[in-house]
Amino acid sequence: MIKLKLTTKISLITLFSIIISIGVLGFYFDEFLKTIYFEDAKHRIDNAKEKIYFDIKNKESDLIKGVSFIKDDKAMIASISLINDYQEKTNYNAILLDEEKKDIAAQLLRRVKISFNADISLYDKNGELIAFVYKDDKGYKLNFISYENQKVVLYSKYEFDDTYKKGTFKDGERTFLYQHIHYYDQPLLQTKTLITYHFVNESLYIKSHKSLFDKNSDTLAHIEMSYKIDGTYFKNISSNLNMNIFMTTDVRYSNNRLSLLDRADIDDVNIMQSDMQYYSSFVIVTKELPLNIVVSLDKSVLNSAISKNRKELILFLLLITSLTLIVLYFLLNSNLSKPLNRLMKNIFKIEKGDYSESKIIKSSDELEEISVNINRLANAVSNREKELKESQGKLEYLSNHDELTSLLNRRAFDKKLNDFIDLAKAKEHKAALLFLDLDQFKQVNDTLGHNVGDELLQKVSERLSGFLSEKALFARVGGDEFKIFIEDFENIKYIEELADDLLKQFEKVFVCGDYEISTTVSIGVAIYPDDGTDSVTLIKNADLAMYKSKDKGRNNYSFFSTELSEYLQKRTDIINALKYSLKNKDEFLLLYQPKISIKTGKIIGAEALIRWNSATLGFVRPDQFIGVAEDTHMIIEIGKWVLDQACKDFVQLKSEGYKLGQVSVNISAVQLKFSDLLETLQDVIKSTGIETRELELEVTESYIASNELKAIETLGKFRKLGIELAIDDFGTGYSSMSYLQKLPITRLKIDKAFVDDLPHSNESEAIVKAILALASTFGLKVTIEGVENCEQLDFFKGKYCDDIQGYVYSKPLPLDELKVFIKNNSKSATVTAEKEQG
């Protein structure tokens, strides 16, 4: 990158400002010239329009005067009357009438020459042509109409010829010039002379019309005179006005509809322009079509002036630039460059570690202030350098250790891990990497607060540090994750024992302030060089092994192995199979486990349990795919299907006469957190027709503990619909009287784990009785899960519980088998009731 001196930058900025200013002035001058020329063009075009307008109007006056003679010409009137009286086509008197018409043609010649017009024609009372005169390249031509055998005969001669000769009409003469066309009303011509416009053979004709009437207002004759305006007129006027004026019927000039001959439009001029000209157009409406009169003015003079202005501007700019550079050089060199060079030398002194005081620049401006501040800076840097050296050791420690626990951090551990691996490789020793992750640590943070969570991490670090040997590399690598690296051991059994001992370290509670916290840890182990010869591979495999421990139920350790790879592959296969199954959901089915009243023995409801028979994997147990579905959020779509199908099945049972009070559906925490379950419920209730009191949702304690306030809000919305709510597997999570009191739940379900050892386990018995007492206190219904024998059933009879669910009554059943069970249960309950009454 090119470095520029400050003086150069200032010079460039100044030059740039000058260039911009002159450029703006040049642009303004260009626009000024354009405006002046535009106004001039408008004025000249307006003058041209006025000129054409007055020429045409003057010619109209000439034409009106040219035909007005007929009303006072008694000889002409007498000749016309003779023709009107004696002209019969069937018996035409040529000797009498033709001579009369020759005289009329001679008079017409004199009239048209006097008025300098193009042609003149006379018609009889019936509108038939009598005679006409027009001018062509050879001169004026006289014409009159005779008849032979009832057919029209044209006689013509030029002005200086002696005799008339038979001729023929030119193309267009008969139809335009010399055929009387009744496009005006005859009465109109009793008071005025009419002017019409025509565009024929690329020429504009202005035609005057005058009719002669007798005392009874009957028409005696009609006379017409024309003036021709062709390209010659517009060439002459263009030359005189130094403009280009022409007439055209081109539709490109039809946008402007200002009339040339309308006095209301005469003062309006719409100027348009292109790169090379200004122009305006005006319309004359002829009897044939609209005719555009285009007036244009060449812009070459303007373009030349603008070009000249720009050249002069560039020359002026070069001159100003040169002078500015010279002046700036002398000014900046003496007042800026030299002082700046001295300042830079003082700064270089500081850069080299010389903090001695420099000589102050006496300039009475900002440079003097900078000079003073450089000395202050030198003193400050000197002091900071001393402080930096003192704190360097502390910073080195902090960069390599975790601030919370004082253990090695991830950065330091990864660096040392690479060194240890290199050492193990050189000595050909085995080594082990253990990845530790606290179980359900998030629950501690969410329920007790982050300050308690931080203290728990400190206590764990202290206990494990005291347990591990000094040879072990121990670090906190983030959140609730720890890593331990062990180098040089004899066999795997040593690592297994170490992992067992690590798990035992968590058997004793951790005292954190006012709380005694019981927690466990999941451990993943990767062996060098069996599971990896570099740090990245070992860390990845230890991490995978740790997640295997989580899947095994936590509080466990796992070694990375081929089986683990197979496990991961199986997990991938389940994910892919689930994606396929979700396309049509025909691989899923629901089983229903009856819930039996402990008092009456009657079936009061059933819990819907999903089963999956995959087309590719075969039958997959719920504990194998539910967790995967939750991790991938596919449980949202699966849960929606379960809810919809369970409600449909219930409504079907009800319609077929089977008495079943309620159907229970398990709801995943993922559904509650990441989907609009309320909307889903409303849609299902509406589409299936199930009553809300007939539906019960089972939620887990873990969801409630993760965000108690959110759980209260969400579950409250379900209860407002009338849906009943149960806490599934109660007692296995973070049970709390506080949330039981606030939550809108209606039932507790005691987990099978507390039932299995009854009635022979005092501990299980105490827990169950405590839960039953809690439910009684809050007025909650209780369901006992997992009752498998009569001994367990007898234990719960007479206690505060409502219904039993387990193999002692029935395993989960398909819908058809559930129908049979309901029938048999109904009969059995009836017999039992009759015996009790007897």
Side-chain angles (χ1 to χ4, degrees):
M1 183 177 178
I2 299 175
K3 293 184 178 179
L4 299 176
K5 292 183 178 181
L6 179 58
T7 53
T8 304
K9 291 180 179 178
I10 293 173
S11 299
L12 289 175
I13 291 171
T14 305
L15 288 175
F16 181 74
S17 300
I18 293 172
I19 292 169
I20 291 296
S21 300
I22 295 176
V24 170
L25 288 174
F27 175 77
Y28 171 78
F29 193 63
D30 278 1
E31 292 301 313
F32 176 74
L33 285 176
K34 290 177 182 177
T35 302
I36 292 297
Y37 274 82
F38 180 81
E39 291 300 324
D40 179 65
K42 184 176 181 182
H43 178 69
R44 291 177 64 185
I45 290 173
D46 188 47
N47 287 342
K49 179 185 177 184
E50 290 279 347
K51 168 66 175 169
I52 298 170
Y53 171 80
F54 284 114
D55 283 352
I56 291 176
K57 288 300 179 182
N58 288 335
K59 187 48 62 180
E60 286 182 4
S61 297
D62 291 345
L63 288 170
I64 291 172
K65 292 176 182 177
V67 296
S68 297
F69 75 91
I70 193 169
K71 63 181 174 34
D72 300 318
D73 193 333
K74 295 180 179 180
M76 178 73 75
I77 294 173
S79 297
I80 293 170
S81 298
L82 179 65
I83 293 170
N84 283 336
D85 293 337
Y86 295 100
Q87 180 169 269
E88 294 182 10
K89 296 177 184 179
T90 55
N91 186 21
Y92 184 77
N93 188 342
I95 295 173
L96 175 63
L97 297 179
D98 285 357
E99 289 303 320
E100 201 67 35
K101 290 180 180 179
K102 290 176 184 180
D103 289 340
I104 291 174
Q107 292 184 57
L108 292 179
L109 172 64
R110 183 168 59 85
R111 294 294 180 179
V112 77
K113 288 179 69 176
I114 291 172
S115 60
F116 299 102
N117 288 312
D119 61 72
I120 187 169
S121 54
L122 181 68
Y123 301 85
D124 65 12
K125 65 179 181 180
N126 298 317
E128 296 290 342
L129 186 60
I130 297 173
F132 60 96
V133 176
Y134 65 87
K135 187 178 182 181
D136 60 16
D137 296 337
K138 295 179 181 181
Y140 284 100
K141 193 172 186 179
L142 290 75
N143 306 269
F144 69 87
I145 302 299
S146 181
Y147 294 92
E148 293 180 4
N149 300 321
Q150 300 184 25
K151 292 183 179 180
V152 173
V153 177
L154 175 66
Y155 285 93
S156 305
K157 75 163 190 163
Y158 282 99
E159 179 181 2
F160 300 107
D161 291 342
D162 294 328
T163 59
Y164 282 89
K165 297 178 181 179
K166 285 185 180 181
T168 56
F169 284 99
K170 291 183 179 179
D171 293 339
E173 282 182 343
R174 186 68 175 170
T175 56
F176 164 60
L177 294 175
Y178 313 120
Q179 182 177 10
H180 186 51
I181 302 172
H182 291 277
Y183 43 71
Y184 48 84
D185 296 324
Q186 289 290 351
L188 181 64
L189 292 177
Q190 291 182 3
T191 58
K192 61 186 291 187
T193 301
L194 183 69
I195 298 294
T196 58
Y197 300 90
H198 306 268
F199 186 69
V200 178
N201 297 331
E202 302 301 320
S203 296
L204 172 65
Y205 286 87
I206 307 172
K207 185 182 286 289
S208 62
H209 305 265
K210 181 71 175 178
S211 291
L212 188 65
F213 301 92
D214 61 15
K215 295 179 180 180
N216 297 322
S217 296
D218 293 327
T219 301
L220 290 178
H222 183 79
I223 188 169
E224 296 176 352
M225 184 179 289
S226 300
Y227 181 78
K228 177 181 178 184
I229 298 178
D230 56 13
T232 303
Y233 168 80
F234 290 105
K235 286 180 182 179
N236 292 335
I237 195 173
S238 296
S239 177
N240 293 335
L241 298 178
N242 195 21
M243 305 174 76
N244 183 24
I245 306 173
F246 58 93
M247 57 182 175
T248 180
T249 58
D250 193 332
V251 295
R252 290 178 299 173
Y253 297 98
S254 298
N255 294 329
N256 185 5
R257 303 308 294 176
L258 293 176
S259 174
L260 179 64
L261 303 178
D262 189 345
R263 194 62 198 175
D265 292 340
I266 193 66
D267 295 327
D268 292 332
V269 179
N270 292 337
I271 305 295
M272 292 161 282
Q273 59 179 308
S274 63
D275 292 338
M276 299 308 296
Q277 64 178 1
Y278 297 108
Y279 65 93
S280 183
S281 64
F282 311 94
V283 68
I284 295 177
V285 180
T286 71
K287 294 300 180 178
E288 288 69 35
L289 75 173
L291 176 64
N292 298 305
I293 307 300
V294 181
V295 183
S296 65
L297 185 62
D298 191 5
K299 292 174 69 175
S300 58
V301 177
L302 170 63
N303 293 334
S304 177
I306 291 175
S307 177
K308 181 181 177 182
N309 172 58
R310 290 172 180 170
K311 289 177 182 177
E312 292 175 350
L313 182 65
I314 292 172
L315 291 175
F316 179 70
L317 183 60
L318 290 174
L319 177 61
I320 291 297
T321 301
S322 301
L323 292 174
T324 302
L325 285 173
I326 294 170
V327 173
L328 282 175
Y329 173 77
F330 287 105
L331 288 175
L332 295 177
N333 187 55
S334 60
N335 295 307
L336 189 61
S337 294
K338 289 179 179 179
L340 282 176
N341 288 334
R342 287 180 58 188
L343 290 174
M344 291 304 299
K345 289 179 181 179
N346 295 340
I347 293 172
F348 288 146
K349 278 176 57 183
I350 299 173
E351 185 180 359
K352 293 176 180 178
D354 183 359
Y355 305 122
S356 61
E357 187 173 347
S358 302
K359 186 178 179 180
I360 302 298
I361 295 172
K362 301 296 183 179
S363 60
S364 301
D365 57 17
E366 289 85 352
L367 293 176
E368 183 175 336
E369 292 183 15
I370 293 172
S371 180
V372 172
N373 287 328
I374 286 176
N375 281 334
R376 291 176 182 169
L377 175 65
N379 186 45
V381 171
S382 177
N383 294 333
R384 292 285 177 86
E385 209 170 73
K386 293 176 184 177
E387 294 173 359
L388 183 62
K389 289 178 180 179
E390 292 173 358
S391 62
Q392 191 170 3
K394 184 179 179 181
L395 290 173
E396 182 69 24
Y397 178 83
L398 291 175
S399 67
N400 291 312
H401 290 78
D402 175 51
E403 185 178 0
L404 181 66
T405 63
S406 296
L407 296 175
L408 290 176
N409 59 22
R410 181 189 297 273
R411 172 180 170 275
F413 180 84
D414 289 347
K415 184 177 181 301
K416 287 181 177 290
L417 178 60
N418 286 319
D419 296 339
F420 273 51
I421 290 174
D422 291 340
L423 182 62
K425 186 182 296 183
K427 294 181 178 181
E428 297 184 351
H429 290 166
K430 281 186 175 294
L433 177 64
L434 287 75
F435 195 125
L436 287 69
D437 186 274
L438 299 186
D439 295 328
Q440 295 182 326
F441 176 73
K442 186 177 183 299
Q443 304 290 351
V444 176
N445 271 341
D446 292 341
T447 56
L448 303 180
H450 287 274
N451 58 329
V452 177
D454 289 346
E455 189 174 355
L456 175 60
L457 292 172
Q458 291 173 331
K459 297 292 184 180
V460 170
S461 301
E462 292 172 4
R463 186 177 294 181
L464 294 185
S465 295
F467 165 72
L468 292 168
S469 69
E470 294 182 356
K471 292 183 179 180
L473 186 65
F474 181 38
R476 178 184 175 225
V477 294
D480 59 342
E481 297 176 347
F482 300 86
K483 288 179 184 174
I484 301 171
F485 186 77
I486 307 295
E487 192 262 335
D488 191 14
F489 53 86
E490 295 181 358
N491 52 49
I492 297 298
K493 186 176 180 182
Y494 172 79
I495 301 301
E496 291 175 347
E497 291 173 351
L498 174 64
D500 280 325
D501 290 340
L502 286 170
L503 293 175
K504 290 177 183 177
Q505 295 299 313
F506 289 83
E507 292 178 355
K508 185 179 177 182
V509 298
F510 294 89
V511 179
C512 301
D514 297 333
Y515 298 96
E516 292 185 354
I517 301 175
S518 296
T519 188
T520 57
V521 68
S522 296
I523 304 172
V525 184
I527 304 298
Y528 170 88
D530 302 347
D531 303 328
T533 57
D534 61 85
S535 61
V536 174
T537 305
L538 282 175
I539 291 172
K540 182 189 73 174
N541 291 339
D543 187 37
L544 292 173
M546 185 274 294
Y547 278 105
K548 175 62 177 176
S549 300
K550 294 281 188 184
D551 287 347
K552 287 162 60 176
R554 303 183 181 90
N555 193 24
N556 213 325
Y557 69 87
S558 301
F559 283 80
F560 181 81
S561 63
T562 306
E563 290 77 12
L564 179 56
S565 297
E566 292 174 354
Y567 162 79
L568 294 174
Q569 182 59 51
K570 185 175 180 181
R571 179 184 172 88
T572 302
D573 292 341
I574 289 175
I575 290 174
N576 292 333
L578 277 174
K579 290 179 179 178
Y580 175 80
S581 299
L582 282 175
K583 291 180 180 178
N584 49 31
K585 304 179 182 68
D586 58 356
E587 295 180 2
F588 297 119
L589 68 151
L590 290 183
L591 300 181
Y592 296 92
Q593 188 168 32
K595 293 162 66 175
I596 307 299
S597 170
I598 196 168
K599 295 178 181 178
T600 65
K602 291 183 179 181
I603 182 171
I604 61 169
E607 180 181 1
L609 303 169
I610 189 172
R611 296 294 183 265
W612 179 30
N613 189 11
S614 170
T616 55
L617 304 178
F619 182 78
V620 185
R621 299 195 312 274
D623 62 338
Q624 292 178 315
F625 75 86
I626 293 296
V628 175
E630 289 182 323
D631 291 343
T632 58
H633 285 204
M634 285 189 277
I635 194 67
I636 294 174
E637 190 65 24
I638 294 172
K640 185 176 181 181
W641 177 84
V642 171
L643 184 64
D644 183 69
Q645 190 61 46
C647 291
K648 286 179 179 177
D649 289 347
F650 182 87
V651 171
Q652 179 186 337
L653 288 171
K654 186 178 177 181
S655 65
E656 293 177 3
Y658 295 97
K659 293 181 179 180
L660 190 66
Q662 195 175 61
V663 63
S664 300
V665 178
N666 290 284
I667 300 299
S668 166
V670 174
Q671 290 175 265
L672 290 160
K673 291 179 180 179
F674 302 106
S675 71
D676 191 347
L677 187 58
L678 180 63
E679 182 180 348
T680 300
L681 281 166
Q682 290 171 332
D683 290 343
V684 169
I685 291 168
K686 183 178 181 180
S687 63
T688 61
I690 192 172
E691 296 182 27
T692 53
R693 61 182 176 78
E694 298 170 335
L695 177 62
E696 181 181 70
L697 302 181
E698 298 184 10
V699 298
T700 61
E701 279 187 284
S702 60
Y703 163 69
I704 297 168
S706 66
N707 191 333
E708 184 178 324
L709 293 177
K710 182 66 176 177
I712 292 172
E713 178 187 355
T714 302
L715 298 180
K717 293 177 181 178
F718 300 160
R719 280 296 295 142
K720 285 181 180 179
L721 294 177
I723 297 171
E724 297 200 357
L725 301 171
I727 298 181
D728 196 17
D729 301 335
F730 183 78
T732 60
Y734 288 83
S735 304
S736 168
M737 288 185 66
S738 63
Y739 78 66
L740 275 182
Q741 188 174 8
K742 298 174 184 176
L743 285 170
I745 57 172
T746 55
R747 182 186 301 273
L748 299 180
K749 296 189 74 174
I750 297 180
D751 187 63
K752 181 179 184 297
F754 302 125
V755 178
D756 287 344
D757 295 331
L758 291 176
H760 307 295
S761 170
N762 293 332
E763 183 179 353
S764 295
E765 184 175 346
I767 291 172
V768 168
K769 286 181 177 179
I771 295 173
L772 293 177
L774 195 65
S776 175
T777 300
F778 291 109
L780 302 175
K781 292 181 279 190
V782 178
T783 297
I784 312 299
E785 292 185 290
V787 179
E788 298 187 352
N789 55 60
C790 294
E791 196 174 15
Q792 293 171 341
L793 179 63
D794 291 339
F795 173 82
F796 287 103
K797 287 183 177 179
K799 292 189 170 55
Y800 184 85
C801 60
D802 296 271
D803 45 81
I804 301 296
Q805 184 178 339
Y807 278 70
V808 69
Y809 283 116
S810 173
K811 64 180 182 180
L813 303 170
L815 185 63
D816 290 340
E817 294 183 21
L818 177 64
K819 294 177 182 179
V820 175
F821 181 88
I822 293 172
K823 285 183 179 180
N824 293 337
N825 174 263
S826 178
K827 293 177 181 178
S828 174
T830 302
V831 172
T832 302
E834 289 174 352
K835 287 182 179 180
E836 290 177 353
Q837 291 175 359

